[in-house]
Amino acid sequence: MTPIFVPKDRKSLFRQFLGGMYDAVVITDPNGHILEINPRAKEFFGYEEEELVDRPVSLLVPGLAAAVVQRIRYGLEADRHIIVDANGRAKDGTKFACEIAVSVIDLADPDDLVFTIRNIERRRKVRDMLRAKENAFRLAREALFVCDASGTFTYVNPAFCEMFGFAAEEEAREHAFAELMPDEPLPANFRKALAGEKTTVDIVSEVEDSDASEEIVVTLAPNMVGRKVRGVVGSIVRSE
């Protein structure tokens, strides 16, 4: 990988550029000892620059031990793009998930390294939250579903498949709300949900192969993404 060369008369401009970056930037010598950091790195890690000069980058990212830094250097020499997933450690001991891009720069030495560090802790928490919600969606006893604005099912849970006799979710996604629930007021309530209204209706349904009937509660609501309605979400509950 050809190093980024920064002429001396442009180093101040380069540092201004680093100062405006969203990500934390840590510049080290070829052995991983810190030369300088940008303001975002101060914010992430809680150190002042003078506290870090000549300290190993592993102080900030424990996984970047000296041997790892050397392997990264060899990888860069082979012209490979280096991305590292690790945990950062702030001055107060708190840890956070981060994604690190490593490159070479000719600042003080032709083999100096640039570690561009992005805090992905929030992204990880959001991902874990979505996984938890998905697990709850799948385990729910109620039949749950999501439709796009045209009424086509885009996501259903196992209880929904069992209720309507689908072998798999993929089979349900070949159908539309109006096919499975064509009787009023459900189509009208679907339109109300698309308009931003939540509705709940009790329906008496005949039990197949029986003279009995059962009460079913269908709730529909808009599927909001920001301020826009992208479709409809709903639940179908059989009364006990």
Side-chain angles (χ1 to χ4, degrees):
M1 174 177 287
T2 303
I4 302 170
F5 176 66
V6 182
K8 290 183 179 179
D9 60 349
R10 294 188 180 178
K11 285 184 179 179
S12 62
L13 183 62
F14 173 72
R15 289 187 172 94
Q16 289 180 46
F17 170 74
L18 290 184
M21 289 187 65
Y22 174 79
D23 296 324
V25 176
V26 178
I27 299 176
T28 77
D29 68 15
N31 296 313
H33 290 89
I34 298 170
L35 299 174
E36 61 182 280
I37 63 176
N38 73 340
R40 190 69 164 170
K42 295 179 186 180
E43 181 182 333
F44 276 15
F45 295 101
Y47 288 97
E48 294 299 321
E49 186 169 325
E50 55 268 23
E51 298 179 89
L52 295 175
V53 172
D54 207 32
R55 302 289 298 277
V57 69
S58 59
L59 177 67
L60 305 179
V61 184
L64 295 177
V68 176
V69 171
Q70 293 307 311
R71 288 201 297 272
I72 288 173
R73 282 183 58 202
Y74 295 145
L76 292 171
E77 290 172 3
D79 202 27
R80 294 208 303 266
H81 186 60
I82 304 294
I83 299 290
V84 179
D85 289 322
N87 287 312
R89 182 174 60 195
K91 185 178 181 179
D92 63 5
T94 59
K95 295 181 180 180
F96 58 90
C98 56
E99 182 180 82
I100 305 170
V102 189
S103 56
V104 179
I105 188 172
D106 185 355
L107 192 64
D109 184 290
D111 293 321
D112 288 341
L113 300 173
V114 179
F115 296 84
T116 303
I117 303 170
R118 175 161 296 181
N119 187 331
I120 60 171
E121 188 68 27
R122 182 175 178 277
R123 186 199 308 174
R124 178 178 288 183
K125 287 179 179 179
V126 169
R127 181 192 62 196
D128 291 344
M129 178 186 68
L130 290 175
R131 284 179 177 172
K133 287 184 176 181
E134 182 176 357
N135 288 335
F137 185 90
R138 291 184 173 279
L139 290 173
R141 295 176 61 188
E142 299 88 351
L144 304 176
F145 62 89
V146 180
C147 292
D148 61 21
S150 72
T152 301
F153 292 105
T154 58
Y155 199 28
V156 300
N157 71 343
F160 182 94
C161 291
E162 181 180 352
M163 179 176 287
F164 289 95
F166 294 123
E169 295 176 27
E170 291 74 19
E171 186 179 348
R173 289 196 286 265
E174 296 175 359
H175 298 272
F177 180 89
E179 295 178 52
L180 303 187
M181 289 169 271
D183 299 328
E184 293 293 352
L186 293 179
N189 284 357
F190 189 93
R191 293 190 293 273
K192 288 180 181 179
L194 283 177
E197 182 181 343
K198 178 181 176 181
T199 64
T200 298
V201 62
D202 294 350
I203 297 173
V204 176
S205 174
E206 300 297 327
V207 178
E208 189 175 349
D209 299 327
S210 172
D211 293 332
S213 61
E214 62 181 355
E215 185 178 351
I216 296 175
V217 180
V218 181
T219 301
L220 301 175
N223 183 22
M224 306 293 295
V225 179
R227 295 183 178 182
K228 293 186 177 181
V229 178
R230 299 296 187 185
V232 172
V233 294
S235 67
I236 308 172
V237 183
R238 286 192 173 100
S239 297
E240 297 293 340

